[in-house]
Structures are given as C-alpha cells and as structure tokens.
C-alpha cells in the first residue's frame, strides 16, 4: 500500500514512521521539510518504542512541580522534552530510497497514485478564536539562581506588584508597562524546563484565551503577546534574574500561539484543498487531535500514530462512495465524547478570573494522580468525566469547609469557591465562541 503524508510536523512525521514500520511506502509532502517546534514536551508514557530506540530521544526528562501562592505539588508522571533530531533520524532510518521520498512542495493529487492521503495541516476555519499564547527565553543555566533550577510545569504565584497609577489586573500585575492591555488579563503562569546543553526555557503562558478584535485592540493576539513579554520580565524579577541581562544573553526567544480546540471536523475543506481526492485521512491538527482544555497534542500524535495507520488501512476497504462518510465519523483521539467533554472543560475555565483560576488549579492538582493523568492525557470519556466531577467535588468541599484560621479568611475562601463553582457551571453550558 502507498501513502502520501501532507505536512511533516510531529504528527506527519509520526504517521510516516508508523506507515514505514508497517511495510508500506510513503511519500511526504512539505516545502519546509521535517520541521518541529523548538520545544516539544510530552509525558513519558506517551512515547512509543520506535522513538525510545533512538540513542538520544530526549533533551531532558524530569518529574515536574506545580506551585501556587502557599502550596506546591509534585506530579508523579515523568515529563520529557523531545529531541527534534531524534524524530528526523527515525523518519530517515525507517525507510529506504524506494519506500520513502520527501518532496519540497505541497501535495498535488494530479501527479500522485497514493491509496490514502494523510493530511495533517490545520484548517483555520474549523478552530475557535481561542488560542494558547506564550512568550519565553532560552537562557544559559548559570543565569538561574540555584533554588530555581528545578523543572516547573506551572508556577501560578501572582506577579509582584509594581507601583503605578494605572489599573492593575486581578493577579496584581500592573498594566502600566503594557498600555495596550487596559482590562484585566487572564491568569498567566510560568513554565521552566531544561532543554539540554545547560540551557533552560523560562516561559510565561496563558493556557487559553480568546483572541479577537483588530490588532490594536486589548484582546488581540498581538496585544496579549506584548502583555506576556511584560509579564515575563516581572516573572524574571520574581525569580531573581535581571530582565535586561536575560534578554541580552538569551539564546533565543520562543513565541507560542496556536488554536486550542477545533470547533468541528473540516473534512469537506480537507477534501477540497486536495483536489477532491476521496481517500483523505485527516490527522494531527486537521483531525482535532489537540486537547481542547490543555493544548497538549504532540504526545498523543506520536502515541497513536500506529493505531491510526492501521485504521487508515482498514478504511480503504470501504467503497469509495463511503470513504468520505467513514472519515467524517472517525473522530479524534478518544472519539466525540472525549472531545465534547474537553470542549466543555475549556468553556468552563474560560469563565474563570485569575483568582478563581488559581483556586481551581490548586484543587485540580490536589486530586489523586490517576485523576490528574486521566484529564491531561486520557482518551476515554469516562475517565475525563470522573476527573471533572472530582475537581468540582473538591470545590464544593471548600465551600462547606473552607481553609483559614480566622473567620474572615474562611469567609473569603468560601466566597471564592462559590464564585469559582458558579463560573464553571455557567461556562459548561455556554456555547463556545465562534469566529
């Protein structure tokens, strides 16, 4: 059987390697060649054996911490930063000159005889106007104070206050240095990870935020990225690093901006852009593989590639008139139940203000390890539902029996938990924004 894979990002590379390992021939189409984000994080249990066989599959691997204002937790799962060269090497090693060919152009159906076309390119029309945004610096390890040379998935401590006559956001961050942000922004958190060669990525992130309006508006993507640059400088100060020195000695700046959740499958669009080819198998970003509430996708792409190639092979047995229907029914990882629950989780958390978000994450990471893992990586709707019920139950417990030594502290905790609970309830039934 002959496959054509369109797009050689992580998902396209994983699909190509899986097809080659199954004994099929593969043609890859991408004018950029095999290309990947500079930093690719995933959970160790998601990494398949074919990638672990590489001599250096990871730039780093570690147990992560999450921390907030007055609390901290260590996650039991091992987190890895993938080595981009390992993906490239495994692609080239999986096939020979007769079974693998890479074209420096986009797919052209008129000059191809593939049995199945796997299209991994995102369709912008099928995505919500909700994006994950981040701005980070890759710094030499010597710039980090020794106390902060520990991998952190989420540092949710409020940013330090800055004297200013301008309004401040709910997390205490002044908007004076970022005049385009004139309303409270969503909660940001810091992501600190070793990326090999005695270098660390220090990144300030918004896990999901609506991006709308013209470029100069406060909620545009450009304005929010500028706010993140300002927030990153405040975070560096909090960590004891001079922002000006950090920017002078940084190896590079990393900017992250991608759609968090697909609104619907875009099978008709995928078929149209490939000149009507019927044996189209969407995969990666084109098939809604992105986790709607967290943005995780690379681990799922490499983990499920072999299963999906098996399904694509089975798919070709259907009559040509049914192939498009079958492709539309075959949903992303976990099926439509999991995707629907994840989108409901995204809608709920989009309603949370920064202070409410910090309480939500505190209770989320206080759950048992299996519940945390189920929500972050599981593809089973029942597992995801259990995790969602568990975190809501913990918020109810805070309302009934709040923390705090004084009556005033307990009243404040109860009020915050009640607001968080109502925001989650309201968001779970509110339709997600459309373009």
């Amino acid at each position: 059987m002959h496959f054509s894979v369109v797009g050689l990002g992580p998902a396209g590379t994983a699909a190509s390697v899986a097809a080659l390992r199954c004994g099929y021939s593969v043609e890859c189409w991408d004018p950029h060649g095999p290309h990947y984000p500079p930093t690719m994080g995933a959970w160790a249990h998601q990494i398949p054996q074919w990638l672990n066989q590489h001599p250096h599959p990871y730039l780093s691997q570690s147990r992560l911490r999450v921390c907030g204002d007055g609390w901290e937790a260590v996650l039991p799962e091992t987190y890895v930063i993938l080595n981009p060269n390992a993906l490239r090497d495994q692609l080239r090693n999986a096939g020979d000159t007769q079974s693998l060919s890479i074209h420096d152009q986009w797919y052209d159906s008129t000059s191809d005889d593939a049995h199945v076309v796997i299209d991994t390119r995102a369709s912008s029309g099928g995505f919500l106007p909700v994006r994950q945004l981040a701005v980070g610096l890759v710094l030499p390890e010597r710039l980090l104070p020794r106390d902060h040379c520990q991998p952190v998935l989420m540092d949710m401590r409020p940013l330090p206050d800055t004297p200013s006559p301008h309004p401040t956001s709910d997390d205490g961050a002044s908007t004076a240095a970022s005049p385009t942000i004139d309303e409270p922004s969503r909660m940001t958190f810091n992501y600190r990870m070793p990326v090999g060669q005695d270098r660390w990525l220090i990144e300030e992130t918004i896990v999901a935020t609506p991006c709308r309006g013209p470029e100069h508006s406060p909620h545009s993507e450009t304005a929010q990225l500028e706010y993140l640059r300002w927030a990153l400088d405040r975070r560096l100060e909090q960590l004891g690093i001079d922002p000006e020195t950090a920017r002078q000695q940084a190896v590079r700046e990393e900017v992250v901006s991608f759609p968090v959740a697909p609104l619907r499958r875009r099978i008709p669009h995928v078929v149209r852009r490939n000149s009507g080819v019927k044996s189209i198998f969407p995969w990666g970003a084109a098939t809604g593989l992105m986790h709607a509430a967290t943005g995780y996708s690379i681990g799922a792409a490499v983990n499920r590639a072999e299963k999906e190639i098996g399904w694509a092979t089975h798919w070709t047995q259907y009559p040509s008139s049914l192939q498009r229907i079958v492709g539309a029914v075959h949903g992303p990882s976990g099926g439509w139940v999991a995707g629907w629950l994840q989108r409901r989780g995204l809608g709920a958390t989009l309603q949370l203000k920064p202070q409410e978000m910090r309480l939500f994450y505190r209770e989320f990471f206080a759950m048992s390890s299996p519940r945390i893992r189920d929500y972050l990586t599981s593809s089973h709707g029942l597992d995801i539902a259990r995790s969602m019920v568990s975190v809501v139950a913990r918020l109810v417990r805070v309302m009934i029996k709040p923390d705090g030594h004084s009556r005033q502290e307990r009243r404040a905790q109860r009020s915050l938990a009640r607001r968080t609970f109502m925001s989650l309830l309201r968001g779970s039934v509110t339709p997600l924004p459309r373009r």
Side-chain angles (χ1 to χ4, degrees):
M1 182 173 289
H2 179 54
F3 283 79
S4 278
V5 178
V6 186
L8 274 179
T13 297
S16 301
V17 172
L20 291 167
R21 285 172 54 84
C22 292
Y24 305 128
S25 62
V26 178
E27 286 190 82
C28 302
W29 304 79
D30 196 321
H32 309 291
H35 63 282
Y36 318 109
T39 303
M40 298 182 291
W43 302 100
H45 73 268
Q46 296 178 307
I47 307 305
Q49 187 61 34
W50 61 263
L51 186 54
N52 278 323
Q53 290 172 351
H54 190 274
H56 304 288
Y58 313 133
L59 297 178
S60 69
Q61 51 183 322
S62 52
R63 293 290 179 90
L64 299 181
R65 297 186 306 139
V66 292
C67 56
D69 195 8
W71 64 273
E72 182 176 310
V74 178
L75 301 182
E77 294 289 332
T78 300
Y79 187 82
V80 300
I81 301 296
L82 298 178
N83 179 4
N85 291 327
L87 282 170
R88 293 188 183 93
D89 293 343
Q90 296 301 76
L91 174 62
R92 295 189 177 98
N93 294 338
D96 52 33
T97 55
Q98 298 194 350
S99 60
L100 172 66
S101 57
I102 299 177
H103 303 276
D104 57 353
Q105 61 189 34
W106 287 124
Y107 173 71
D108 181 6
S109 62
T110 61
S111 59
D112 183 48
D113 59 352
H115 296 93
V116 178
V117 177
I118 299 179
D119 195 333
T120 68
R121 295 172 293 175
S123 170
S124 59
F127 284 94
L128 301 167
V130 178
R131 304 184 72 83
Q132 183 168 129
L133 303 178
V135 174
L137 297 175
V138 176
L139 302 176
E141 185 174 314
R142 56 185 170 76
L143 289 184
L144 274 71
R146 186 173 298 274
D147 293 344
H148 295 301
C149 286
Q150 297 180 12
V152 176
L153 181 68
M154 298 178 75
D155 181 349
M156 291 169 278
R157 293 175 298 167
L159 292 168
D161 290 327
T162 304
S164 169
H166 291 72
T168 57
S169 68
D170 287 358
D171 60 1
S174 167
T175 60
S178 186
T180 57
I181 303 293
D182 56 6
E183 296 181 13
S185 67
R186 293 187 56 75
M187 185 200 79
T188 69
F189 64 87
N190 194 243
Y191 172 90
R192 301 193 288 276
M193 204 63 55
V195 292
Q197 300 179 328
D198 294 326
R199 297 172 179 174
W200 283 68
L201 172 63
I202 312 295
E203 187 175 78
E204 199 70 14
T205 305
I206 303 176
V207 68
T209 180
C211 292
R212 55 184 183 269
E215 187 171 343
H216 61 274
S217 66
H219 295 290
S220 68
E221 179 182 343
T222 302
Q224 294 192 70
L225 287 174
E226 284 303 311
Y227 174 79
L228 280 171
R229 287 188 175 89
W230 173 85
L232 177 61
D233 288 348
R234 305 289 76 74
R235 188 72 70 178
L236 291 171
E237 292 173 352
Q238 188 180 55
L239 298 174
I241 305 171
D242 178 59
E244 185 175 351
T245 302
R247 293 194 177 276
Q248 289 174 351
Q249 301 191 30
V251 176
R252 65 177 182 270
E253 180 187 66
E254 288 194 11
V255 177
V256 175
S257 176
F258 59 77
V260 173
L263 185 62
R264 57 190 178 277
R265 295 286 301 285
R266 299 294 289 177
I267 298 294
H269 175 77
V270 172
V271 172
R272 281 198 304 273
R273 73 182 175 197
N274 289 285
S275 302
V277 175
K278 293 181 179 179
S279 297
I280 293 289
F281 186 79
W283 176 237
T287 193
L289 191 65
M290 193 79 68
H291 190 299
T294 66
Y296 294 154
S297 64
I298 291 175
V302 298
N303 183 32
R304 291 183 55 88
E306 289 189 353
K307 293 182 180 178
E308 298 299 323
I309 289 296
W311 170 255
T313 305
H314 173 74
W315 188 36
T316 59
Q317 300 175 11
Y318 289 85
S320 59
S321 59
L322 296 178
Q323 286 185 9
R324 193 176 302 181
I325 298 174
V326 174
V329 171
H330 180 65
S333 175
W336 293 111
V337 173
W340 183 86
L341 286 170
Q342 291 170 0
R343 287 193 292 274
R344 295 278 56 79
L346 171 63
T349 53
L350 284 175
Q351 296 286 326
L352 299 179
K353 295 180 180 179
Q355 191 179 15
E356 298 168 354
M357 184 76 84
R358 291 190 179 91
L359 174 63
F360 170 81
Y361 277 123
R362 189 191 77 177
E363 298 304 320
F364 177 86
F365 286 112
M367 293 193 300
S368 64
S369 300
R371 291 288 173 264
I372 296 174
R373 174 174 172 168
D374 285 345
Y375 190 74
L376 295 181
T377 65
S378 178
S379 60
H380 298 288
L382 184 59
D383 293 339
I384 296 171
R386 286 194 191 115
S387 300
M388 296 172 78
V389 170
S390 295
V391 71
V392 169
R394 293 191 64 87
L395 287 172
V396 172
R397 185 197 63 81
V398 175
M399 285 191 283
I400 297 173
K401 191 178 180 181
D403 302 328
H405 299 290
S406 66
R407 178 178 294 180
Q408 184 176 3
E409 290 174 343
R410 292 194 296 272
R411 184 181 301 166
Q413 279 288 317
R414 183 179 287 113
S415 175
L416 177 60
R418 186 183 299 112
R419 294 201 310 271
T420 305
F421 177 82
M422 294 306 298
S423 294
L424 291 173
L425 181 63
R426 182 168 56 252
S428 65
V429 298
T430 303
L432 288 169
R434 296 174 179 263
R435 287 190 178 277

